[in-house]
Amino acid sequence: RTEEVELSWEILDPIEEYWDGHGAPARYPAGTWGPVEADDMLERDGRSWRRP
């Protein structure tokens, strides 16, 4: 329905506007541990991800 589509854009538009001004989330291949930026973020506080 039209109302659902309009509400969806009300939710998503601010997110896309934020990404335009501050950069979008880092991309990484599916099935991997994520972007290098995630490791860097934790290392700043002396932490690391727990991996098997």
Side-chain angles (χ1 to χ4, degrees), residues 1-3 7-8 24-25 28 30 34 38-39 42 47 50-52:
R1 296 180 31 161
T2 303
E3 295 88 8
L7 180 59
S8 296
Y28 59 94
D39 296 328
L42 289 177
R47 298 179 291 155
R50 296 178 75 184
R51 297 182 178 171

Side-chain angles (χ1 to χ4, degrees), residues 13-24:
D13 277 345
I15 295 169
E16 290 190 341
E17 289 171 9
Y18 181 86
W19 288 345
D20 286 342
H22 298 88

Side-chain angles (χ1 to χ4, degrees), residues 10-52:
E10 284 183 36
I11 295 168
L12 292 174
D13 277 345
I15 295 169
E16 290 190 341
E17 289 171 9
Y18 181 86
W19 288 345
D20 286 342
H22 298 88
R27 296 189 173 269
Y28 59 94
T32 66
W33 281 99
V36 172
E37 292 86 349
D39 296 328
D40 296 341
M41 176 184 67
L42 289 177
E43 285 177 9
R44 286 192 295 260
D45 293 329
R47 298 179 291 155
S48 63
W49 294 104
R50 296 178 75 184
R51 297 182 178 171

